[in-house]
Amino acid sequence: MERVPILKIGDILLVSIQVDMSDQTAVQLQEDLAERIVATGCHGVIIDITALDIVDSFVGRMLSTIASISKVLDAETVVVGMRPAVAITLVELGLSLNGIRTALNVERGMELVAAARGDEWDEVDGDEDVETTATT
Amino acid sequence: MERVPILKIGDILLVSIQVDMSDQTAVQLQEDLAERIVATGCHGVIIDITALDIVDSFVGRMLSTIASISKVLDAETVVVGMRPAVAITLVELGLSLNGIRTALNVERGMELVAAARGDEWDEVDGDEDVETTATT
């Protein structure tokens, strides 16, 4: 079985998807990624799909699942490198990749992760205020 | 034909090899990489081979060729993520990957590129001195 490698760069885990994803490969990637997020304490996951000619509903769902898992483990997910044709096909298929952030390339993805972290801290502060109000 | 994606991260081009390399894919990668080095002016190429279970003489030669091309275009090449089993097989096969720098992971590879750039500047200084002597 093929295993998608996960590369750690600073505070970010980088996954470059190049092979056709089977059920097994997708599940394995989700497990590996969850383990690596916990092991490294990384706060960002960047998934590069430059190599993908097509993103079908299966891959779309996989990306959503990864984003959800990462979110639970306190990491932002950004999908980068989507080809124009893939974007067009996605829209035509009605797959809007809900809840997934996208960026043009890895560098912009990294900026987005950093920015998202900033936003989140604001949100956390907000939540804390609300909780304080609720408990008093 | 599969095309290996090249990701730009800062001053470095990152290539993660995950598919079996055919003659055509290898040549395409070499061309793409040469173009990207020139287009971006990057000074480092990191080739990640985490996903490779085996590195045969073909892949070994491809890595050497990429390193040579990059060198001519003023970029350092570092191969990262070699599995222990791959290293053992390489030695057993008598393939020593001459002229290729290796590092354990992408982060160390980046440090190595930075360090190599430092060394090179020293060398360039040395060469300039020699040239000055020769022309006078």
Side-chain angles (χ1 to χ4, degrees):
Chain A
M1 196 193 64
E2 305 226 45
R3 213 164 166 150
V4 181
I6 300 167
L7 307 175
K8 181 176 176 292
I9 299 170
D11 191 35
I12 281 170
L13 296 176
L14 176 65
V15 181
S16 178
I17 296 179
Q18 297 174 28
V19 294
D20 287 333
M21 301 300 287
S22 65
D23 272 357
Q24 235 187 343
T25 319
V27 170
Q28 184 72 54
L29 175 60
Q30 287 162 15
E31 284 176 9
D32 288 350
L33 206 47
E35 271 175 32
R36 283 296 291 276
I37 292 172
V38 172
T40 60
C42 283
H43 290 301
V45 175
I46 293 182
I47 303 174
D48 168 65
I49 58 169
T50 318
L52 297 188
D53 285 321
I54 191 159
V55 171
D56 54 13
S57 60
F58 175 72
V59 172
R61 205 166 53 239
M62 184 195 71
L63 294 175
S64 295
T65 310
I66 287 177
S68 303
I69 294 174
S70 304
K71 192 82 193 165
V72 173
L73 295 171
D74 194 24
E76 292 293 327
T77 305
V78 180
V79 172
V80 304
M82 191 184 294
R83 299 193 187 181
V86 169
I88 293 167
T89 315
L90 274 178
V91 172
E92 282 175 355
L93 287 174
L95 300 170
S96 55
L97 298 185
N98 274 328
I100 300 180
R101 289 165 195 259
T102 53
L104 209 57
N105 55 42
V106 178
E107 285 180 329
R108 296 209 186 169
M110 285 177 162
E111 290 167 15
L112 199 56
V113 167
R117 295 299 302 168
D119 290 352
E120 200 170 282
W121 283 114
D122 293 344
E123 283 171 28
V124 169
D125 288 345
D127 287 351
E128 276 174 357
D129 290 346
V130 172
E131 277 173 17
T132 315
T133 319
T135 47
T136 47
Chain B
M1 195 195 64
E2 305 226 45
R3 212 163 166 152
V4 181
I6 299 167
L7 307 175
K8 181 174 176 295
I9 300 170
D11 190 34
I12 281 171
L13 295 176
L14 176 65
V15 180
S16 179
I17 296 179
Q18 296 174 27
V19 293
D20 289 332
M21 301 300 287
S22 66
D23 272 356
Q24 233 187 344
T25 319
V27 170
Q28 185 71 54
L29 175 60
Q30 287 161 15
E31 284 176 9
D32 289 349
L33 206 47
E35 270 174 33
R36 283 296 291 277
I37 292 172
V38 173
T40 60
C42 282
H43 289 300
V45 174
I46 293 183
I47 303 173
D48 169 64
I49 57 169
T50 319
L52 297 188
D53 285 322
I54 191 159
V55 171
D56 55 13
S57 59
F58 174 72
V59 174
R61 207 166 51 239
M62 184 196 71
L63 294 175
S64 295
T65 309
I66 288 176
S68 303
I69 294 173
S70 304
K71 191 81 192 169
V72 173
L73 295 171
D74 194 25
E76 293 291 328
T77 305
V78 180
V79 172
V80 305
M82 190 184 293
R83 297 193 188 180
V86 169
I88 292 166
T89 314
L90 274 179
V91 173
E92 281 175 354
L93 287 174
L95 300 170
S96 54
L97 297 185
N98 275 327
I100 300 180
R101 289 165 195 259
T102 52
L104 209 57
N105 53 44
V106 178
E107 285 180 329
R108 296 209 186 169
M110 285 175 162
E111 290 168 15
L112 199 57
V113 167
R117 295 298 302 168
D119 291 351
E120 202 170 280
W121 283 114
D122 293 344
E123 283 171 31
V124 170
D125 288 346
D127 288 349
E128 276 174 358
D129 290 345
V130 173
E131 277 174 18
T132 315
T133 318
T135 48
T136 48

PDB file of all heavy atoms in Angstrom, chain A residues 7-10 12 14 46 105-108 110, chain B residues 6-15 36 40 42-44 46 106 110:
ATOM      1  N   LEU A   7       5.622  15.871   5.666  1.00  0.00           N
ATOM      2  CA  LEU A   7       6.876  16.586   5.933  1.00  0.00           C
ATOM      3  C   LEU A   7       6.643  17.699   6.934  1.00  0.00           C
ATOM      4  O   LEU A   7       5.666  18.443   6.821  1.00  0.00           O
ATOM      5  CB  LEU A   7       7.419  17.185   4.632  1.00  0.00           C
ATOM      6  CG  LEU A   7       7.568  16.215   3.463  1.00  0.00           C
ATOM      7  CD1 LEU A   7       7.996  16.964   2.214  1.00  0.00           C
ATOM      8  CD2 LEU A   7       8.573  15.130   3.808  1.00  0.00           C
ATOM      9  N   LYS A   8       7.532  17.811   7.911  1.00  0.00           N
ATOM     10  CA  LYS A   8       7.401  18.878   8.903  1.00  0.00           C
ATOM     11  C   LYS A   8       8.324  20.032   8.526  1.00  0.00           C
ATOM     12  O   LYS A   8       9.519  19.840   8.318  1.00  0.00           O
ATOM     13  CB  LYS A   8       7.779  18.353  10.285  1.00  0.00           C
ATOM     14  CG  LYS A   8       7.639  19.381  11.379  1.00  0.00           C
ATOM     15  CD  LYS A   8       7.922  18.773  12.731  1.00  0.00           C
ATOM     16  CE  LYS A   8       7.892  19.825  13.832  1.00  0.00           C
ATOM     17  NZ  LYS A   8       9.015  20.786  13.730  1.00  0.00           N
ATOM     18  N   ILE A   9       7.739  21.201   8.374  1.00  0.00           N
ATOM     19  CA  ILE A   9       8.521  22.397   8.068  1.00  0.00           C
ATOM     20  C   ILE A   9       8.128  23.458   9.074  1.00  0.00           C
ATOM     21  O   ILE A   9       7.046  24.034   8.998  1.00  0.00           O
ATOM     22  CB  ILE A   9       8.252  22.901   6.640  1.00  0.00           C
ATOM     23  CG1 ILE A   9       8.644  21.819   5.636  1.00  0.00           C
ATOM     24  CG2 ILE A   9       9.010  24.186   6.366  1.00  0.00           C
ATOM     25  CD1 ILE A   9       8.218  22.105   4.231  1.00  0.00           C
ATOM     26  N   GLY A  10       8.996  23.695  10.027  1.00  0.00           N
ATOM     27  CA  GLY A  10       8.681  24.647  11.083  1.00  0.00           C
ATOM     28  C   GLY A  10       7.457  24.185  11.848  1.00  0.00           C
ATOM     29  O   GLY A  10       7.404  23.044  12.324  1.00  0.00           O
ATOM     30  N   ILE A  12       4.573  23.669  10.607  1.00  0.00           N
ATOM     31  CA  ILE A  12       3.577  23.214   9.641  1.00  0.00           C
ATOM     32  C   ILE A  12       3.874  21.801   9.142  1.00  0.00           C
ATOM     33  O   ILE A  12       5.040  21.426   8.970  1.00  0.00           O
ATOM     34  CB  ILE A  12       3.520  24.224   8.468  1.00  0.00           C
ATOM     35  CG1 ILE A  12       2.700  25.443   8.890  1.00  0.00           C
ATOM     36  CG2 ILE A  12       2.942  23.608   7.207  1.00  0.00           C
ATOM     37  CD1 ILE A  12       2.750  26.589   7.941  1.00  0.00           C
ATOM     38  N   LEU A  14       3.396  19.371   5.961  1.00  0.00           N
ATOM     39  CA  LEU A  14       3.109  19.497   4.537  1.00  0.00           C
ATOM     40  C   LEU A  14       2.850  18.123   3.936  1.00  0.00           C
ATOM     41  O   LEU A  14       3.647  17.202   4.093  1.00  0.00           O
ATOM     42  CB  LEU A  14       4.293  20.164   3.830  1.00  0.00           C
ATOM     43  CG  LEU A  14       4.209  20.305   2.305  1.00  0.00           C
ATOM     44  CD1 LEU A  14       3.088  21.243   1.904  1.00  0.00           C
ATOM     45  CD2 LEU A  14       5.528  20.810   1.759  1.00  0.00           C
ATOM     46  N   ILE A  46      -0.747  21.796   5.595  1.00  0.00           N
ATOM     47  CA  ILE A  46      -0.905  22.264   4.221  1.00  0.00           C
ATOM     48  C   ILE A  46      -0.949  21.052   3.304  1.00  0.00           C
ATOM     49  O   ILE A  46      -0.057  20.209   3.328  1.00  0.00           O
ATOM     50  CB  ILE A  46       0.243  23.215   3.828  1.00  0.00           C
ATOM     51  CG1 ILE A  46       0.132  24.500   4.656  1.00  0.00           C
ATOM     52  CG2 ILE A  46       0.200  23.552   2.346  1.00  0.00           C
ATOM     53  CD1 ILE A  46       1.165  25.534   4.330  1.00  0.00           C
ATOM     54  N   ASN A 105      -0.411  28.866  -3.404  1.00  0.00           N
ATOM     55  CA  ASN A 105       0.787  28.026  -3.303  1.00  0.00           C
ATOM     56  C   ASN A 105       1.192  27.853  -1.840  1.00  0.00           C
ATOM     57  O   ASN A 105       0.562  28.427  -0.939  1.00  0.00           O
ATOM     58  CB  ASN A 105       1.928  28.624  -4.125  1.00  0.00           C
ATOM     59  CG  ASN A 105       2.221  30.055  -3.741  1.00  0.00           C
ATOM     60  OD1 ASN A 105       2.236  30.394  -2.563  1.00  0.00           O
ATOM     61  ND2 ASN A 105       2.441  30.907  -4.738  1.00  0.00           N
ATOM     62  N   VAL A 106       2.228  27.059  -1.619  1.00  0.00           N
ATOM     63  CA  VAL A 106       2.627  26.707  -0.257  1.00  0.00           C
ATOM     64  C   VAL A 106       2.942  27.946   0.577  1.00  0.00           C
ATOM     65  O   VAL A 106       2.539  28.053   1.735  1.00  0.00           O
ATOM     66  CB  VAL A 106       3.845  25.763  -0.274  1.00  0.00           C
ATOM     67  CG1 VAL A 106       4.286  25.442   1.146  1.00  0.00           C
ATOM     68  CG2 VAL A 106       3.497  24.478  -1.000  1.00  0.00           C
ATOM     69  N   GLU A 107       3.655  28.892  -0.041  1.00  0.00           N
ATOM     70  CA  GLU A 107       4.051  30.084   0.721  1.00  0.00           C
ATOM     71  C   GLU A 107       2.836  30.872   1.210  1.00  0.00           C
ATOM     72  O   GLU A 107       2.773  31.277   2.358  1.00  0.00           O
ATOM     73  CB  GLU A 107       4.955  30.966  -0.142  1.00  0.00           C
ATOM     74  CG  GLU A 107       6.343  30.359  -0.244  1.00  0.00           C
ATOM     75  CD  GLU A 107       7.288  31.190  -1.097  1.00  0.00           C
ATOM     76  OE1 GLU A 107       6.801  31.841  -2.031  1.00  0.00           O
ATOM     77  OE2 GLU A 107       8.490  31.156  -0.830  1.00  0.00           O
ATOM     78  N   ARG A 108       1.849  31.050   0.290  1.00  0.00           N
ATOM     79  CA  ARG A 108       0.636  31.775   0.700  1.00  0.00           C
ATOM     80  C   ARG A 108      -0.139  30.951   1.719  1.00  0.00           C
ATOM     81  O   ARG A 108      -0.803  31.495   2.601  1.00  0.00           O
ATOM     82  CB  ARG A 108      -0.238  32.059  -0.513  1.00  0.00           C
ATOM     83  CG  ARG A 108       0.478  32.980  -1.483  1.00  0.00           C
ATOM     84  CD  ARG A 108      -0.470  33.826  -2.275  1.00  0.00           C
ATOM     85  NE  ARG A 108       0.247  34.576  -3.283  1.00  0.00           N
ATOM     86  CZ  ARG A 108      -0.317  35.251  -4.257  1.00  0.00           C
ATOM     87  NH1 ARG A 108      -1.632  35.253  -4.379  1.00  0.00           N
ATOM     88  NH2 ARG A 108       0.394  35.913  -5.120  1.00  0.00           N
ATOM     89  N   MET A 110       1.166  29.074   3.986  1.00  0.00           N
ATOM     90  CA  MET A 110       1.826  29.286   5.279  1.00  0.00           C
ATOM     91  C   MET A 110       1.391  30.609   5.902  1.00  0.00           C
ATOM     92  O   MET A 110       1.140  30.694   7.092  1.00  0.00           O
ATOM     93  CB  MET A 110       3.350  29.268   5.095  1.00  0.00           C
ATOM     94  CG  MET A 110       3.897  27.877   4.872  1.00  0.00           C
ATOM     95  SD  MET A 110       5.678  27.924   4.568  1.00  0.00           S
ATOM     96  CE  MET A 110       6.104  26.202   4.896  1.00  0.00           C
TER      97      MET A 110
ATOM     98  N   ILE B   6       6.689  20.588  -7.964  1.00  0.00           N
ATOM     99  CA  ILE B   6       7.815  21.288  -7.341  1.00  0.00           C
ATOM    100  C   ILE B   6       7.246  22.429  -6.512  1.00  0.00           C
ATOM    101  O   ILE B   6       6.554  23.294  -7.041  1.00  0.00           O
ATOM    102  CB  ILE B   6       8.764  21.841  -8.419  1.00  0.00           C
ATOM    103  CG1 ILE B   6       9.317  20.687  -9.261  1.00  0.00           C
ATOM    104  CG2 ILE B   6       9.903  22.635  -7.788  1.00  0.00           C
ATOM    105  CD1 ILE B   6      10.017  21.134 -10.533  1.00  0.00           C
ATOM    106  N   LEU B   7       7.503  22.403  -5.207  1.00  0.00           N
ATOM    107  CA  LEU B   7       6.953  23.421  -4.325  1.00  0.00           C
ATOM    108  C   LEU B   7       8.028  24.416  -3.929  1.00  0.00           C
ATOM    109  O   LEU B   7       9.133  24.025  -3.571  1.00  0.00           O
ATOM    110  CB  LEU B   7       6.391  22.758  -3.062  1.00  0.00           C
ATOM    111  CG  LEU B   7       5.396  21.617  -3.290  1.00  0.00           C
ATOM    112  CD1 LEU B   7       5.012  20.970  -1.974  1.00  0.00           C
ATOM    113  CD2 LEU B   7       4.165  22.122  -4.010  1.00  0.00           C
ATOM    114  N   LYS B   8       7.703  25.706  -3.991  1.00  0.00           N
ATOM    115  CA  LYS B   8       8.657  26.727  -3.582  1.00  0.00           C
ATOM    116  C   LYS B   8       8.372  27.146  -2.151  1.00  0.00           C
ATOM    117  O   LYS B   8       7.256  27.535  -1.816  1.00  0.00           O
ATOM    118  CB  LYS B   8       8.553  27.938  -4.513  1.00  0.00           C
ATOM    119  CG  LYS B   8       9.526  29.038  -4.166  1.00  0.00           C
ATOM    120  CD  LYS B   8       9.480  30.156  -5.194  1.00  0.00           C
ATOM    121  CE  LYS B   8      10.382  31.306  -4.792  1.00  0.00           C
ATOM    122  NZ  LYS B   8       9.949  31.984  -3.562  1.00  0.00           N
ATOM    123  N   ILE B   9       9.369  27.026  -1.308  1.00  0.00           N
ATOM    124  CA  ILE B   9       9.233  27.459   0.087  1.00  0.00           C
ATOM    125  C   ILE B   9      10.414  28.361   0.386  1.00  0.00           C
ATOM    126  O   ILE B   9      11.531  27.884   0.539  1.00  0.00           O
ATOM    127  CB  ILE B   9       9.221  26.261   1.042  1.00  0.00           C
ATOM    128  CG1 ILE B   9       8.044  25.338   0.720  1.00  0.00           C
ATOM    129  CG2 ILE B   9       9.145  26.727   2.490  1.00  0.00           C
ATOM    130  CD1 ILE B   9       8.080  24.029   1.443  1.00  0.00           C
ATOM    131  N   GLY B  10      10.155  29.645   0.450  1.00  0.00           N
ATOM    132  CA  GLY B  10      11.243  30.599   0.659  1.00  0.00           C
ATOM    133  C   GLY B  10      12.248  30.498  -0.472  1.00  0.00           C
ATOM    134  O   GLY B  10      11.889  30.599  -1.641  1.00  0.00           O
ATOM    135  N   ASP B  11      13.504  30.262  -0.119  1.00  0.00           N
ATOM    136  CA  ASP B  11      14.588  30.235  -1.095  1.00  0.00           C
ATOM    137  C   ASP B  11      14.844  28.806  -1.593  1.00  0.00           C
ATOM    138  O   ASP B  11      15.874  28.524  -2.196  1.00  0.00           O
ATOM    139  CB  ASP B  11      15.862  30.795  -0.435  1.00  0.00           C
ATOM    140  CG  ASP B  11      16.960  31.026  -1.462  1.00  0.00           C
ATOM    141  OD1 ASP B  11      16.626  31.382  -2.605  1.00  0.00           O
ATOM    142  OD2 ASP B  11      18.140  30.825  -1.120  1.00  0.00           O
ATOM    143  N   ILE B  12      13.884  27.916  -1.304  1.00  0.00           N
ATOM    144  CA  ILE B  12      14.135  26.499  -1.579  1.00  0.00           C
ATOM    145  C   ILE B  12      13.024  25.891  -2.426  1.00  0.00           C
ATOM    146  O   ILE B  12      11.855  26.240  -2.277  1.00  0.00           O
ATOM    147  CB  ILE B  12      14.288  25.747  -0.231  1.00  0.00           C
ATOM    148  CG1 ILE B  12      15.682  25.994   0.329  1.00  0.00           C
ATOM    149  CG2 ILE B  12      14.013  24.252  -0.380  1.00  0.00           C
ATOM    150  CD1 ILE B  12      15.889  25.507   1.711  1.00  0.00           C
ATOM    151  N   LEU B  13      13.410  24.999  -3.335  1.00  0.00           N
ATOM    152  CA  LEU B  13      12.424  24.234  -4.097  1.00  0.00           C
ATOM    153  C   LEU B  13      12.354  22.840  -3.484  1.00  0.00           C
ATOM    154  O   LEU B  13      13.382  22.201  -3.283  1.00  0.00           O
ATOM    155  CB  LEU B  13      12.830  24.155  -5.568  1.00  0.00           C
ATOM    156  CG  LEU B  13      12.849  25.486  -6.328  1.00  0.00           C
ATOM    157  CD1 LEU B  13      13.356  25.279  -7.750  1.00  0.00           C
ATOM    158  CD2 LEU B  13      11.473  26.126  -6.354  1.00  0.00           C
ATOM    159  N   LEU B  14      11.134  22.403  -3.182  1.00  0.00           N
ATOM    160  CA  LEU B  14      10.958  21.109  -2.544  1.00  0.00           C
ATOM    161  C   LEU B  14      10.275  20.143  -3.508  1.00  0.00           C
ATOM    162  O   LEU B  14       9.233  20.442  -4.075  1.00  0.00           O
ATOM    163  CB  LEU B  14      10.117  21.262  -1.276  1.00  0.00           C
ATOM    164  CG  LEU B  14       9.752  19.991  -0.510  1.00  0.00           C
ATOM    165  CD1 LEU B  14      10.992  19.317   0.061  1.00  0.00           C
ATOM    166  CD2 LEU B  14       8.786  20.315   0.612  1.00  0.00           C
ATOM    167  N   VAL B  15      10.909  18.984  -3.687  1.00  0.00           N
ATOM    168  CA  VAL B  15      10.348  17.956  -4.557  1.00  0.00           C
ATOM    169  C   VAL B  15      10.146  16.700  -3.725  1.00  0.00           C
ATOM    170  O   VAL B  15      11.085  16.201  -3.120  1.00  0.00           O
ATOM    171  CB  VAL B  15      11.315  17.631  -5.719  1.00  0.00           C
ATOM    172  CG1 VAL B  15      10.713  16.573  -6.619  1.00  0.00           C
ATOM    173  CG2 VAL B  15      11.646  18.884  -6.502  1.00  0.00           C
ATOM    174  N   ARG B  36      12.402  25.940 -13.080  1.00  0.00           N
ATOM    175  CA  ARG B  36      11.969  26.609 -11.843  1.00  0.00           C
ATOM    176  C   ARG B  36      13.135  27.278 -11.126  1.00  0.00           C
ATOM    177  O   ARG B  36      12.974  28.348 -10.527  1.00  0.00           O
ATOM    178  CB  ARG B  36      11.286  25.609 -10.890  1.00  0.00           C
ATOM    179  CG  ARG B  36       9.872  25.256 -11.272  1.00  0.00           C
ATOM    180  CD  ARG B  36       8.916  26.442 -11.212  1.00  0.00           C
ATOM    181  NE  ARG B  36       8.642  26.922  -9.876  1.00  0.00           N
ATOM    182  CZ  ARG B  36       7.742  26.409  -9.067  1.00  0.00           C
ATOM    183  NH1 ARG B  36       6.983  25.406  -9.460  1.00  0.00           N
ATOM    184  NH2 ARG B  36       7.553  26.892  -7.863  1.00  0.00           N
ATOM    185  N   THR B  40      12.812  31.165 -10.487  1.00  0.00           N
ATOM    186  CA  THR B  40      12.642  31.655  -9.117  1.00  0.00           C
ATOM    187  C   THR B  40      13.938  32.197  -8.524  1.00  0.00           C
ATOM    188  O   THR B  40      13.895  32.937  -7.544  1.00  0.00           O
ATOM    189  CB  THR B  40      12.149  30.525  -8.189  1.00  0.00           C
ATOM    190  OG1 THR B  40      13.124  29.465  -8.207  1.00  0.00           O
ATOM    191  CG2 THR B  40      10.813  29.975  -8.650  1.00  0.00           C
ATOM    192  N   CYS B  42      15.985  30.384  -6.939  1.00  0.00           N
ATOM    193  CA  CYS B  42      16.198  29.660  -5.685  1.00  0.00           C
ATOM    194  C   CYS B  42      17.620  29.100  -5.627  1.00  0.00           C
ATOM    195  O   CYS B  42      18.202  28.757  -6.647  1.00  0.00           O
ATOM    196  CB  CYS B  42      15.199  28.514  -5.548  1.00  0.00           C
ATOM    197  SG  CYS B  42      13.572  29.065  -5.045  1.00  0.00           S
ATOM    198  N   HIS B  43      18.148  28.992  -4.422  1.00  0.00           N
ATOM    199  CA  HIS B  43      19.512  28.505  -4.263  1.00  0.00           C
ATOM    200  C   HIS B  43      19.573  27.143  -3.588  1.00  0.00           C
ATOM    201  O   HIS B  43      20.638  26.683  -3.198  1.00  0.00           O
ATOM    202  CB  HIS B  43      20.351  29.517  -3.495  1.00  0.00           C
ATOM    203  CG  HIS B  43      20.638  30.748  -4.287  1.00  0.00           C
ATOM    204  ND1 HIS B  43      21.321  30.699  -5.474  1.00  0.00           N
ATOM    205  CD2 HIS B  43      20.302  32.041  -4.091  1.00  0.00           C
ATOM    206  CE1 HIS B  43      21.414  31.922  -5.961  1.00  0.00           C
ATOM    207  NE2 HIS B  43      20.790  32.752  -5.159  1.00  0.00           N
ATOM    208  N   GLY B  44      18.419  26.507  -3.420  1.00  0.00           N
ATOM    209  CA  GLY B  44      18.426  25.190  -2.787  1.00  0.00           C
ATOM    210  C   GLY B  44      17.351  24.296  -3.362  1.00  0.00           C
ATOM    211  O   GLY B  44      16.256  24.755  -3.680  1.00  0.00           O
ATOM    212  N   ILE B  46      15.529  20.623  -2.391  1.00  0.00           N
ATOM    213  CA  ILE B  46      15.436  19.519  -1.444  1.00  0.00           C
ATOM    214  C   ILE B  46      14.561  18.439  -2.052  1.00  0.00           C
ATOM    215  O   ILE B  46      13.435  18.692  -2.469  1.00  0.00           O
ATOM    216  CB  ILE B  46      14.863  19.996  -0.089  1.00  0.00           C
ATOM    217  CG1 ILE B  46      15.871  20.946   0.565  1.00  0.00           C
ATOM    218  CG2 ILE B  46      14.585  18.813   0.827  1.00  0.00           C
ATOM    219  CD1 ILE B  46      15.464  21.439   1.924  1.00  0.00           C
ATOM    220  N   VAL B 106      13.390  17.385   6.165  1.00  0.00           N
ATOM    221  CA  VAL B 106      13.357  18.634   5.399  1.00  0.00           C
ATOM    222  C   VAL B 106      13.996  19.783   6.171  1.00  0.00           C
ATOM    223  O   VAL B 106      14.755  20.579   5.612  1.00  0.00           O
ATOM    224  CB  VAL B 106      11.903  19.005   5.023  1.00  0.00           C
ATOM    225  CG1 VAL B 106      11.862  20.322   4.281  1.00  0.00           C
ATOM    226  CG2 VAL B 106      11.303  17.916   4.156  1.00  0.00           C
ATOM    227  N   MET B 110      17.110  22.027   5.004  1.00  0.00           N
ATOM    228  CA  MET B 110      17.117  23.484   4.822  1.00  0.00           C
ATOM    229  C   MET B 110      18.340  24.100   5.508  1.00  0.00           C
ATOM    230  O   MET B 110      18.982  24.998   4.956  1.00  0.00           O
ATOM    231  CB  MET B 110      15.827  24.085   5.396  1.00  0.00           C
ATOM    232  CG  MET B 110      14.620  23.840   4.518  1.00  0.00           C
ATOM    233  SD  MET B 110      13.124  24.454   5.314  1.00  0.00           S
ATOM    234  CE  MET B 110      12.007  24.543   3.912  1.00  0.00           C
TER     235      MET B 110
END
